[in-house]
């Protein structure tokens, strides 16, 4: 008997795009179908990652943008080796809240780090693993702001221009890799957004 092949599905988008709600709906949908699911996130899934998350989102001193990029990448390297690769090898479906495209969109397009270099470093951190499917939740600035709420973490406080660049960065990534990356119109109701998501999930499962 062949071992079932695991799947790696990533959920991406700007702050306040609603991707975490959709990830939870996908988890429920697939679990009800009897699939073996692992839900995880970057930064900060387990162990060392949780320490890095604390620094990345709540350290209030000055952070060099290259250092920020390396901290997200360090979290990713740990997460991939200790959690994602073993789960995929066991045939599980890994649903991951943010991954490599966040670093391209936020540190690359947002902060202005060199995008080709970020891609190379992503490749190092992931040991070459690529998501089977990436959903980008695209939402207008106005709706994103209402969803983020008043208490903002370090990244959410980076300003409107920064978040505009992040959004455009995501759309650029989708243009460059249309077979892996699908853009979801996340301005709609939770149910309407989920209908779009379900179509892509059904195609890949
Ligand atoms: P989180 O609380 O997980 O928020 P969200 O619900 O928006 O995913 O915060 C993660 C923050 O870190 C978010 O603002 C995006 C940012 N981030 C990067 O800037 N680069 C990265 O590589 C990753 C994974 C996240």
């Amino acid at each position: 008997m062949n071992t079932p092949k695991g799947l790696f599905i990533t959920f991406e988008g700007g702050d306040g795009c609603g991707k975490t709600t959709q990830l939870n709906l996908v988890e429920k949908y697939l679990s009800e179908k009897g699939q073996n699911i692992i839900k995880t996130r970057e930064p900060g899934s387990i162990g060392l990652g949780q320490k890095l998350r604390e620094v990345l989102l709540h350290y209030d001193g000055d952070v060099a943008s290259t250092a920020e990029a390396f901290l997200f990448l360090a979290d990713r390297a740990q997460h991939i080796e200790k959690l994602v690769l073993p789960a995929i090898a066991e045939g599980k479906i890994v649903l991951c809240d943010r991954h490599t495209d966040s670093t391209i969109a936020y540190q690359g397009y947002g902060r202005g780090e060199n995008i080709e270099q970020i891609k190379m470093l992503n490749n190092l951190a992931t040991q070459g693993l690529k998501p089977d499917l990436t959903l980008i939740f695209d939402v207008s600035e106005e709706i994103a702001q209402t969803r983020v709420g008043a208490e903002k973490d370090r990244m959410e406080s980076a300003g409107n221009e920064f978040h505009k660049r992040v959004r455009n960065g995501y759309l650029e990534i989708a243009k460059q890799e249309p077979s892996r990356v699908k853009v979801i119109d996340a301005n709609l109701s939770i149910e309407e957004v989920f209908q779009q998501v379900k179509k892509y999930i059904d195609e890949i499962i």
Side-chain angles (χ1 to χ4, degrees), residues 14-16 19-20 41-43 53 57 68 72 76 97-99 102-103 106-107 153 155-156:
D15 291 82
K19 65 186 164 37
T20 310
R41 70 171 179 191
E42 292 180 5
R53 180 181 174 89
L57 300 187
E68 178 182 283
F72 280 113
R76 179 158 309 130
D97 198 337
R98 297 195 179 281
H99 185 57
S102 284
T103 320
Y106 281 76
Q107 282 64 52
D153 65 33
M155 299 304 296
E156 286 164 351

Side-chain angles (χ1 to χ4, degrees), residues 183-186 188 192-200:
V183 178
I184 303 286
D185 178 357
L188 308 168
E192 285 166 316
V193 175
F194 185 62
Q195 287 313 314
Q196 302 171 61
V197 170
K198 192 166 152 291
K199 176 174 147 269
Y200 292 120

Side-chain angles (χ1 to χ4, degrees), residues 7-13 19 23 40 42 76 79-80 84 93-102 129-137 170 180-182 184 201 204:
L7 275 180
F8 186 33
I9 305 178
T10 59
F11 291 66
E12 294 277 4
K19 65 186 164 37
L23 190 154
T40 186
E42 292 180 5
R76 179 158 309 130
H79 183 222
I80 284 286
V84 178
I93 299 179
V94 180
L95 305 177
C96 188
D97 198 337
R98 297 195 179 281
H99 185 57
T100 42
D101 299 309
S102 284
L129 178 75
K130 293 262 182 298
D132 297 287
L133 171 67
T134 295
L135 300 174
I136 289 181
F137 294 82
Y170 272 126
R180 170 178 70 90
V181 181
K182 310 295 175 190
I184 303 286
I201 297 289
I204 197 170

Side-chain angles (χ1 to χ4, degrees), residues 8-199:
F8 186 33
I9 305 178
T10 59
F11 291 66
E12 294 277 4
D15 291 82
C17 69
K19 65 186 164 37
T20 310
T21 304
Q22 295 295 326
L23 190 154
N24 289 333
L25 290 173
V26 171
E27 181 195 23
K28 183 163 177 282
Y29 175 66
L30 291 178
S31 302
E32 283 170 5
K33 281 179 176 271
Q35 300 283 358
N36 202 348
I37 310 291
I38 282 206
K39 189 172 83 168
T40 186
R41 70 171 179 191
E42 292 180 5
S45 60
I46 45 162
L48 173 64
Q50 287 168 348
K51 297 261 180 218
L52 293 170
R53 180 181 174 89
E54 189 51 36
V55 175
L56 279 161
L57 300 187
H58 303 296
Y59 176 68
D60 61 3
D62 195 15
V63 181
S65 66
T66 315
E68 178 182 283
F70 275 109
L71 288 170
F72 280 113
L73 286 155
D75 168 72
R76 179 158 309 130
Q78 181 78 8
H79 183 222
I80 284 286
E81 180 160 321
K82 302 295 175 195
L83 191 150
V84 178
L85 287 173
I88 290 175
E90 287 167 15
K92 294 186 175 143
I93 299 179
V94 180
L95 305 177
C96 188
D97 198 337
R98 297 195 179 281
H99 185 57
T100 42
D101 299 309
S102 284
T103 320
I104 298 173
Y106 281 76
Q107 282 64 52
Y109 288 94
R111 299 273 195 230
E113 290 295 309
N114 182 294
I115 287 165
E116 288 314 307
Q117 286 179 343
I118 296 271
K119 287 184 182 170
M120 271 169 40
L121 291 166
N122 264 336
N123 205 39
L124 180 67
T126 61
Q127 305 185 26
L129 178 75
K130 293 262 182 298
D132 297 287
L133 171 67
T134 295
L135 300 174
I136 289 181
F137 294 82
D138 183 58
V139 74
S140 73
E141 267 175 75
E142 295 72 33
I143 294 188
Q145 273 175 8
T146 63
R147 291 181 186 165
V148 165
E151 226 172 83
K152 295 190 166 78
D153 65 33
R154 203 176 65 80
M155 299 304 296
E156 286 164 351
S157 315
N160 291 347
E161 285 309 310
F162 173 81
H163 287 286
K164 242 184 240 171
R165 291 196 296 277
V166 169
R167 182 181 181 195
N168 291 335
Y170 272 126
L171 296 175
E172 194 51 45
I173 294 169
K175 255 191 236 156
Q176 287 171 10
E177 286 185 77
S179 62
R180 170 178 70 90
V181 181
K182 310 295 175 190
V183 178
I184 303 286
D185 178 357
N187 295 295
L188 308 168
S189 70
I190 291 177
E191 185 48 38
E192 285 166 316
V193 175
F194 185 62
Q195 287 313 314
Q196 302 171 61
V197 170
K198 192 166 152 291
K199 176 174 147 269

